[in-house]
C-alpha cells in the first residue's frame, strides 16, 4: 500500500505539468488557433433541429460508417484508404502512441506541438525530440541519423508545423517516410490554411498516416479528429479506440456541417487573407520579426517577449508565449489570426506595449 494515494501515480506522470488553458473571459482570445467566426443563423437553427431529433438514449452509431463516408468524400481521401476517428486529433495521437510506440518509442522534430511528448509519456512510451534548424526547416541529416539510431515505432511530423507555422520541404518529409522503420504520423491539423497536403500521396506509402481535425476549420467544440491510412494499419489502430468515442451530437453536427463545408472553407479563406495583412502589419513594426505561416497563426519574435505578453494581457489581448519552451523559441510569441477587429486590437495593444 503506498503511503499517500498519489504515490501510486507513475513518477513520469507526476513529473508532468498538465495541459492548462488560461483564463480568457472578456479578452480578445488569440491563443488557441480557433476560427473566430460563428455559423450563419439559419445553419445554427438547422443544427438545433437535428440535435432535437437525435436519439440520445441510444449509444452512438458505431462504426459511424455514414460519417466516415462523408469525411472521405469531403477530405478527398484516396480510394482504398480507410479512416479511424478520434475525439479530437489529440485522441488519435494517443491511439497511435499506445498502439505503435512500443520499445522504439515516438520521435518528433522540435519545436512542435507539446502534446506529442506528453501523450507519449501518458502512453508509457519513450519520446525523442530532434531539433529543427534555426530557420525552423527540417535538419534532415540529424533527423535521419536519429531515426536510424532510435528505430522509433512512430515518427510524428506536423505539416504545417505548430508553433512555427511553416510547411517543411515535402521531398524531405518523403525521405523520412521512406527511412522510418515504423509508422509516420503526418499531422495536418492546419490543412485548411496550407498550400500542400500529403493526402493524395497516401497510397504510395503503406506506413504513412495523414491526420486531420475539424477543430481549426471552425468546429473545435465538437471534437472530431480523422486519421487516414492503409486498411491494414487502420484496422489495428481501431483496436485501441474506446467504443463509442465519437458521440451522437458530434456525429449529427459533423454530418450536417460536411454538407455545408463551403461555409467553413470560405471562413478559412477570409482567415488566410487576414493572415497576409497581419503578417505585413507585424513586419512593419520595428523590433518585430514575423515568420511566414501556412497556418491560422503567426509566430513572431521581439525582445522581452514575456513583458510584451504581459502587456498585451493587461490590454485585454490573450496570445501565447513560447519563450522558455524550446531553445529555438527564445523571445517568441504566437498569435492566432482573428477577425479584422481582433487583429486590429492586437496590433494596437502590441504597439502600445512596445512603446511603453
Ligand atoms: N495537432 C496539432 C499540431 C495541434 O496544434 C493541435 C491543437 N492545437 C492538435 C493536433 C489537436 O487538435 P484537436 O484535438 O482539437 O483535433
Amino acid at each position: 500500500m503506498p503511503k499517500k494515494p498519489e504515490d501510486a501515480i507513475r513518477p513520469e506522470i507526476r513529473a508532468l505539468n498538465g495541459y492548462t488553458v488560461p483564463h480568457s473571459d472578456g479578452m480578445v482570445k488569440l491563443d488557441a488557433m480557433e476560427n473566430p467566426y460563428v455559423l450563419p443563423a439559419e445553419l445554427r437553427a438547422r443544427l438545433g433541429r437535428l440535435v432535437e431529433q437525435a436519439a440520445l438514449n441510444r449509444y452512438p452509431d458505431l462504426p459511424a460508417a455514414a460519417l466516415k463516408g462523408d469525411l472521405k468524400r469531403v477530405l478527398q481521401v484516396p480510394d482504398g484508404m480507410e479512416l479511424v476517428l478520434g475525439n479530437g486529433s489529440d485522441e488519435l495521437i494517443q491511439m497511435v502512441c499506445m498502439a505503435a510506440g512500443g520499445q522504439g518509442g515516438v520521435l518528433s522534430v522540435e519545436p512542435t506541438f507539446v502534446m506529442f511528448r506528453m501523450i507519449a509519456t501518458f502512453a508509457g512510451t519513450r519520446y525523442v525530440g530532434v531539433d529543427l534548424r534555426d530557420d525552423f526547416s527540417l535538419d534532415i541529416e540529424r533527423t535521419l541519423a536519429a531515426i536510424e539510431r532510435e528505430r522509433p515505432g512512430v515518427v510524428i511530423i506536423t505539416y504545417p508545423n505548430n508553433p512555427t507555422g511553416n510547411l517543411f520541404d515535402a521531398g524531405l518529409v518523403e525521405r523520412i517516410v521512406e527511412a522510418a522503420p515504423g509508422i509516420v504520423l503526418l499531422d495536418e491539423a492546419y490543412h485548411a490554411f496550407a498550400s500542400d497536403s500529403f493526402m493524395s500521396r497516401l497510397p504510395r506509402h503503406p506506413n504513412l498516416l495523414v491526420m486531420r481535425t475539424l477543430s481549426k476549420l471552425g468546429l473545435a467544440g465538437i471534437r472530431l479528429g480523422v486519421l487516414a491510412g492503409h486498411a491494414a494499419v487502420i484496422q489495428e489502430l481501431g483496436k485501441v479506440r474506446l467504443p463509442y468515442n465519437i458521440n451522437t451530437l458530434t456525429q449529427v453536427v459533423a454530418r450536417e456541417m460536411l454538407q455545408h463545408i463551403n461555409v467553413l472553407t470560405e471562413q478559412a479563406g477570409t482567415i488566410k487573407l487576414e493572415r497576409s495583412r497581419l503578417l505585413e502589419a507585424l513586419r512593419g513594426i520595428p523590433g518585430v520579426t514575423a515568420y511566414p505561416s501556412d497556418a491560422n497563426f503567426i509566430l513572431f519574435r521581439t525582445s522581452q517577449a514575456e513583458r510584451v505578453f504581459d502587456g498585451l494581457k493587461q490590454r485585454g489581448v490573450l496570445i501565447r508565449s513560447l519563450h522558455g519552451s524550446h531553445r529555438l523559441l527564445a523571445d517568441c510569441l504566437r498569435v492566432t489570426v482573428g477577425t479584422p477587429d481582433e487583429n486590429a486590437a492586437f496590433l494596437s495593444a502590441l504597439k502600445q506595449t512596445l512603446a511603453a
Side-chain angles (χ1 to χ4, degrees):
M1 203 24 200
K3 284 203 209 78
K4 290 185 277 172
E6 58 271 32
D7 288 342
I9 307 293
R10 281 159 38 207
E12 66 273 26
I13 301 294
R14 293 191 70 183
L16 290 175
N17 292 318
Y19 191 90
T20 53
V21 179
H23 183 75
S24 61
D25 282 358
M27 300 190 79
V28 175
K29 191 174 182 314
L30 299 176
D31 66 327
M33 284 81 91
E34 291 147 330
N35 172 342
Y37 299 104
V38 293
L39 295 173
E42 194 189 311
L43 192 47
R44 277 186 283 152
R46 199 191 326 244
L47 293 175
R49 286 194 294 278
L50 287 166
V51 166
E52 194 176 35
Q53 289 155 17
L56 299 184
N57 56 319
R58 302 291 178 194
Y59 279 105
D61 178 12
L62 184 76
L67 174 57
K68 282 185 190 163
D70 291 348
L71 283 164
K72 281 184 181 170
R73 178 176 50 78
V74 172
L75 305 186
Q76 296 180 317
V77 176
D79 285 349
M81 299 295 109
E82 289 303 330
L83 301 183
V84 62
L85 307 183
N87 184 356
S89 50
D90 284 338
E91 192 187 41
L92 293 167
I93 301 164
Q94 187 182 37
M95 282 161 51
V96 174
C97 290
M98 279 198 300
Q103 291 212 325
V106 175
L107 183 146
S108 191
V109 291
E110 292 195 332
T112 193
F113 184 37
V114 289
M115 288 307 294
F116 300 150
R117 180 188 286 274
M118 283 182 67
I119 291 173
T121 307
F122 307 162
T125 190
R126 209 159 70 84
Y127 175 88
V128 177
V130 181
D131 278 1
L132 296 171
R133 292 187 194 278
D134 289 358
D135 64 358
F136 306 134
S137 64
L138 283 171
D139 187 336
I140 192 67
E141 288 78 25
R142 202 200 285 231
T143 307
L144 292 178
I147 289 173
E148 186 56 36
R149 187 177 67 240
E150 310 287 344
R151 311 295 295 162
V154 183
V155 175
I156 312 182
I157 305 279
T158 304
Y159 191 79
N161 192 32
N162 170 20
T164 57
N166 56 316
L167 270 183
F168 298 126
D169 180 286
L172 297 184
V173 173
E174 296 232 14
R175 281 176 65 188
I176 291 172
V177 175
E178 276 154 22
I183 281 170
V184 176
L185 173 60
L186 203 73
D187 181 348
E188 294 192 344
Y190 298 95
H191 164 75
F193 315 98
S195 55
D196 190 35
S197 164
F198 267 70
M199 190 63 95
S200 65
R201 300 168 171 110
L202 199 46
R204 295 214 299 270
H205 303 288
N207 63 333
L208 180 63
L209 294 169
V210 174
M211 186 168 72
R212 298 276 182 85
T213 175
L214 298 192
S215 296
K216 316 299 170 184
L217 198 53
L219 296 171
I222 71 169
R223 313 299 300 128
L224 185 62
V226 185
L227 191 61
H230 289 252
V233 181
I234 293 293
Q235 201 179 348
E236 295 305 323
L237 291 172
K239 294 179 185 170
V240 300
R241 185 186 53 75
L242 291 178
Y244 311 116
N245 64 330
I246 310 302
N247 74 73
T248 301
L249 300 179
T250 296
Q251 294 197 33
V252 163
V253 172
R255 286 205 66 200
E256 186 61 20
M257 286 308 302
L258 290 169
Q259 306 300 319
H260 302 280
I261 197 71
N262 59 316
V263 173
L264 299 179
T265 48
E266 277 164 27
Q267 291 178 346
T270 307
I271 292 168
K272 283 199 278 184
L273 286 176
E274 272 303 303
R275 175 180 70 195
S276 314
R277 288 169 29 124
L278 185 58
L279 185 66
E280 205 177 313
L282 277 169
R283 287 186 168 163
I285 301 176
V288 170
T289 305
Y291 295 94
S293 170
D294 257 70
N296 63 341
F297 58 84
I298 294 175
L299 185 79
F300 65 101
R301 201 185 290 267
T302 175
S303 63
Q304 298 187 301
E306 300 269 75
R307 186 187 74 81
V308 172
F309 173 79
D310 289 337
L312 286 167
K313 208 163 146 186
Q314 277 159 21
R315 290 170 176 82
V317 180
L318 184 66
I319 63 165
R320 180 75 190 264
S321 172
L322 295 150
H323 181 76
S325 65
H326 189 276
R327 164 182 84 77
L328 296 179
L329 296 176
D331 276 324
C332 281
L333 300 167
R334 185 190 67 199
V335 60
T336 304
V337 180
T339 62
D341 284 352
E342 289 172 332
N343 299 337
F346 157 71
L347 288 166
S348 144
L350 179 62
K351 285 176 193 161
Q352 285 174 32
T353 303
L354 290 172

